[in-house]
Amino acid sequence: MDNSLRDLVRRRASNYCEYCRIHQDADPLFRFHVEHIIPRQHSGADDEDNLALACGHCNRRKGPNLSAVDPLTGSVTLLFNPRRQEWNEHFVLNEGVVAGTSASGRATVRLFQMNEARRIQLRNDF
């Protein structure tokens, strides 16, 4: 992946994690990752339609996963896809806490552990 593609992904996301909404400047010790929404091991491409900006926390917890369990229904559901879905249709942010409002949102929040105390603080501090 070349630098121009990485820069495009960062600009498009305005330097926010496209999953948990932490800004890069709120977590300056760790550079955010340009990650594959559909991992390469699942035939995900290195093109802009399959790339998202993710903080290290979200990227590590996502790993190669494509789905997770919705804690409300117990059903397996696809994870939130920032290229195909609108963040505001799947999540709400209230005082630094991210809540899923759909099966996909709830499963993503749970798998990514978005509401650990430090994550909430980083969202509130910026």
Side-chain angles (χ1 to χ4, degrees):
M1 180 182 329
D2 65 24
N3 286 336
S4 64
L5 185 54
R6 289 179 191 280
D7 290 342
L8 178 143
V9 172
R10 287 183 184 284
R11 279 192 317 275
R12 178 177 64 197
S14 300
N15 280 313
Y16 280 90
C17 174
E18 294 188 71
Y19 297 102
C20 76
R21 291 298 204 238
I22 289 175
H23 193 275
Q24 173 68 71
D25 292 343
D27 199 2
L29 298 178
F30 301 100
R31 185 149 170 86
F32 286 6
H33 306 211
V34 173
E35 72 97 18
H36 292 82
I37 298 164
I38 299 174
R40 285 186 229 168
Q41 75 183 54
H42 297 298
S43 301
D46 280 341
D47 61 54
E48 66 183 82
D49 292 331
N50 189 45
L51 299 174
L53 189 63
C55 67
H57 179 93
C58 287
N59 194 33
R60 280 188 304 280
R61 281 171 175 70
K62 179 179 178 286
N65 293 301
L66 298 173
S67 62
V69 174
D70 173 4
L72 182 66
T73 65
S75 298
V76 175
T77 186
L78 291 175
L79 294 172
F80 171 72
N81 181 325
R83 295 289 69 78
R84 294 187 180 153
Q85 297 169 303
E86 293 292 324
W87 196 90
N88 292 331
E89 293 177 10
H90 296 274
F91 306 96
V92 293
L93 181 61
N94 186 16
E95 296 182 12
V97 175
V98 178
T101 58
S102 68
S104 176
R106 290 185 300 268
T108 302
V109 167
R110 181 173 178 261
L111 180 67
F112 291 16
Q113 299 175 14
M114 288 184 188
N115 292 313
E116 291 179 345
R118 178 73 177 132
R119 312 304 297 159
I120 294 168
Q121 180 183 2
L122 287 171
R123 280 188 289 273
N124 281 332
D125 287 350
F126 190 78

